[in-house]
């Protein structure tokens, strides 16, 4: 190998090594920043999921309350219907010929 090639190789290795050493702090800072961003996004995601869960539970409770209201209305209608049927039975007994 000639002296010029050897000098060129040593220079190239030195330049690459210098670039790596110079870039290391920036790469490390980028890594810390990225890890922090992911951690913050994870926290935000967990908070949003918790909020969504609370909203869903609230909606489920509202639907259950609505169902309870419908059940009460149906019970009142059935009571009225039973009373109404009883009236017709009593009317039928008072006037057996349908007059």
């Amino acid at each position: 190998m000639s002296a010029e090639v050897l000098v060129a190789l040593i220079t190239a290795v030195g330049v690459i090594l210098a670039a790596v050493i110079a870039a290391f702090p920036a790469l490390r800072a980028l890594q810390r920043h990225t890890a922090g961003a992911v951690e913050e996004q994870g926290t935000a995601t967990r908070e949003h999921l918790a909020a969504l869960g609370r909203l869903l539970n609230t909606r489920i409770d509202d639907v259950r309350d609505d169902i309870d209201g419908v059940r009460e209305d149906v019970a009142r209608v059935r009571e009225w219907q039973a009373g109404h049927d009883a009236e017709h039975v009593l009317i039928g007994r008072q006037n057996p010929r349908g007059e």
Side-chain angles (χ1 to χ4, degrees), residues 10-80:
I10 292 172
T11 304
V13 170
V15 168
I16 290 173
L17 188 59
V20 169
I21 291 171
F24 185 74
L27 290 173
R28 188 72 180 132
L30 180 63
Q31 183 183 15
R32 275 190 242 126
H33 175 72
T34 304
V38 169
E39 184 177 318
E40 289 173 10
Q41 286 178 349
T43 302
T45 301
R46 284 189 291 277
E47 290 173 357
H48 287 294
L49 284 175
L52 182 62
R54 288 190 297 273
L55 289 172
L56 184 60
N57 285 334
T58 301
R59 183 62 186 131
I60 288 170
D61 291 341
D62 291 345
V63 168
R64 285 182 181 158
D65 291 343
D66 291 345
I67 290 172
D68 290 342
V70 169
R71 285 181 180 156
E72 290 173 5
D73 291 344
V74 168
R76 281 195 293 272
V77 168
R78 285 183 178 166
E79 290 171 3
W80 174 85

